Amino acid sequence: MNLEQALLVIGNAHDNELPVAALDVAKTNWSAFYAELEQIIDQFVADDSSLTDEQNAVLFFGTLLLAELKYSPALSKCLQLFSCSDSFLTPIEGVFGDAITELTSTLFYNVANGNTQALSDYIVAGHQAMYGKASAMEAVFAQYEVGTIDKAELSEHITLWLAAFLALPSSISSFLMSALADSCIEYQLDDLKSQFIGLCDKDVFDEYRFKQDEVKAWQSLDGRKLIESGIIQTEFNLVDTLNSWAEGDGSDDEVFDNPSIDSLSSDNLSNDDLDVFDSLMGEGGLLSNILYDENTILENSVPVSSLATAGRNDLCPCGSNKKYKKCCLQ
């Protein structure tokens, strides 16, 4: 398989079929492959709606290969790529899905190769990449964890981040303030305790990300460290990671096994199931209007204000018996 063929295979990867052989070809011909990837990144940055499905697939796999290969020359491109709004249903979330929250910190850590200043500049920049900035903060904390920077350097970065978040109050800034407070507590940066607690009366924290009461308590419950716990993978393997996602890996994160609504059509049912299907989807059936009837949706909706809330270290209110940070917060 040559590189051109590999690009076609990667671009047409579907469902659980990872393009393992094609990715090996991409790594073997890395210079040429990266040139193609760089062009796609530039195109996405210029117009995030202009890529074909095939280009989106190459962007997804290629960007994560940067983390596996620790390709530091791509740092500036990565930071450009992840400098756009990355919340649910944004174009970049459409490309990377769960990897936005699960793997971007690993990408930034491995590609930055100790360049915490570039990550810090990205964090204080004026773009709207909420999860990207949170991931960059984690990558800097991980550099502190391994001793690349010392406590004094980390504190300098944190001071700049706090000033930036407080200067432009927003829901994004509140999310980042809570994420930062969480990390400072987990890494036992007690010198900053009074400063964060002093902000608790200013409504600057995101109660869904990390509660104000948790900031006031200032207690690390499990001593979570990013590299130690595997949240950031210093020896990242793309295929192994995606295979573990597809298999569930003991969790509910199955990103390569997402059946579409088409699988509910009568064409995909056996004759024995047709009567059941008709009774559910036909007129008056239990599911006949659940997808399309606005009144039905409104009548069966639960107000957001009535939903249970949880701190990052609390049990998830969904009933999974996992901590919130390991479940629905992700």
Side-chain angles (χ1 to χ4, degrees), residues 278-291:
D278 289 339
S279 69
L280 291 172
M281 301 301 292
E283 184 176 355
L286 180 63
L287 302 180
S288 60
N289 60 2
I290 195 71
L291 295 177

Side-chain angles (χ1 to χ4, degrees), residues 187-245:
Y187 279 87
Q188 301 176 335
L189 301 181
D190 294 340
D191 292 347
L192 299 170
K193 177 179 178 179
S194 60
Q195 186 173 359
F196 275 97
I197 291 179
L199 294 170
C200 286
D201 296 329
K202 300 183 182 299
D203 194 29
V204 297
F205 296 105
D206 181 339
E207 290 294 291
Y208 292 98
R209 174 58 181 82
F210 195 70
K211 290 181 179 180
Q212 182 171 285
D213 287 345
E214 292 178 287
V215 178
K216 291 179 179 179
W218 200 265
Q219 181 179 8
S220 177
L221 298 181
D222 56 11
R224 175 183 64 97
K225 300 295 186 293
L226 292 157
I227 294 175
E228 178 186 340
S229 65
I231 293 173
I232 287 182
Q233 303 174 50
T234 59
E235 299 301 327
F236 175 70
N237 183 286
L238 172 57
V239 171
D240 287 350
T241 298
L242 296 184
N243 272 330
S244 72
W245 285 14

Side-chain angles (χ1 to χ4, degrees), residues 26 48 81 115 125 167 215 267 283:
D48 58 19
L81 175 62
N115 188 351
V215 178
D267 292 338
E283 184 176 355

Side-chain angles (χ1 to χ4, degrees), residues 51-320:
L51 300 188
T52 64
D53 289 343
E54 291 75 17
Q55 287 175 312
N56 281 331
V58 173
L59 180 60
F60 173 82
F61 287 108
T63 301
L64 295 182
L65 278 181
L66 296 173
E68 178 175 327
L69 299 177
K70 302 181 181 181
Y71 192 64
S72 55
L75 176 59
S76 63
K77 287 297 178 185
C78 287
L79 297 180
Q80 289 176 30
L81 175 62
F82 290 96
S83 292
C84 55
S85 178
D86 53 12
S87 57
F88 185 55
L89 295 181
T90 54
I92 198 164
E93 192 272 342
V95 174
F96 290 95
D98 287 350
I100 285 284
T101 55
E102 298 292 328
L103 297 179
T104 309
S105 56
T106 289
L107 171 69
F108 285 165
Y109 177 88
N110 286 340
V111 175
N113 192 29
N115 188 351
T116 58
Q117 187 59 56
L119 294 174
S120 191
D121 291 343
Y122 167 86
I123 291 164
V124 300
H127 58 79
Q128 301 297 302
M130 180 171 73
Y131 296 118
K133 289 185 177 184
S135 294
M137 286 195 299
E138 289 187 334
V140 174
F141 272 93
Q143 295 288 358
Y144 169 66
E145 182 178 340
V146 299
T148 303
I149 59 174
D150 59 20
K151 189 175 181 179
E153 290 175 280
L154 178 61
S155 296
E156 288 179 7
H157 288 314
I158 292 172
T159 299
L160 291 175
W161 303 343
L162 280 171
F165 301 156
L166 292 171
L168 294 173
S170 67
S171 59
I172 293 176
S173 294
S174 294
F175 177 89
L176 294 171
M177 283 288 294
S178 287
L180 179 56
D182 186 10
S183 292
C184 287
I185 291 172
E186 294 291 355
Y187 279 87
Q188 301 176 335
L189 301 181
D190 294 340
D191 292 347
L192 299 170
K193 177 179 178 179
S194 60
Q195 186 173 359
F196 275 97
I197 291 179
L199 294 170
C200 286
D201 296 329
K202 300 183 182 299
D203 194 29
V204 297
F205 296 105
D206 181 339
E207 290 294 291
Y208 292 98
R209 174 58 181 82
F210 195 70
K211 290 181 179 180
Q212 182 171 285
D213 287 345
E214 292 178 287
V215 178
K216 291 179 179 179
W218 200 265
Q219 181 179 8
S220 177
L221 298 181
D222 56 11
R224 175 183 64 97
K225 300 295 186 293
L226 292 157
I227 294 175
E228 178 186 340
S229 65
I231 293 173
I232 287 182
Q233 303 174 50
T234 59
E235 299 301 327
F236 175 70
N237 183 286
L238 172 57
V239 171
D240 287 350
T241 298
L242 296 184
N243 272 330
S244 72
W245 285 14
E247 294 166 0
D249 197 24
S251 69
D252 298 323
D253 297 323
E254 298 187 15
V255 297
F256 276 92
D257 190 15
N258 297 319
S260 69
I261 194 66
D262 292 337
S263 64
L264 295 178
S265 71
S266 58
D267 292 338
N268 294 322
L269 297 176
S270 67
N271 290 333
D272 292 338
D273 292 328
L274 285 175
D275 288 341
V276 176
F277 180 86
D278 289 339
S279 69
L280 291 172
M281 301 301 292
E283 184 176 355
L286 180 63
L287 302 180
S288 60
N289 60 2
I290 195 71
L291 295 177
Y292 307 105
D293 190 292
E294 181 179 358
N295 289 330
T296 301
I297 295 173
L298 292 174
E299 289 170 2
N300 289 279
S301 297
V302 178
V304 171
S305 60
S306 70
L307 294 175
T309 60
R312 185 171 175 84
N313 290 306
D314 295 340
L315 288 178
C316 188
C318 76
S320 66

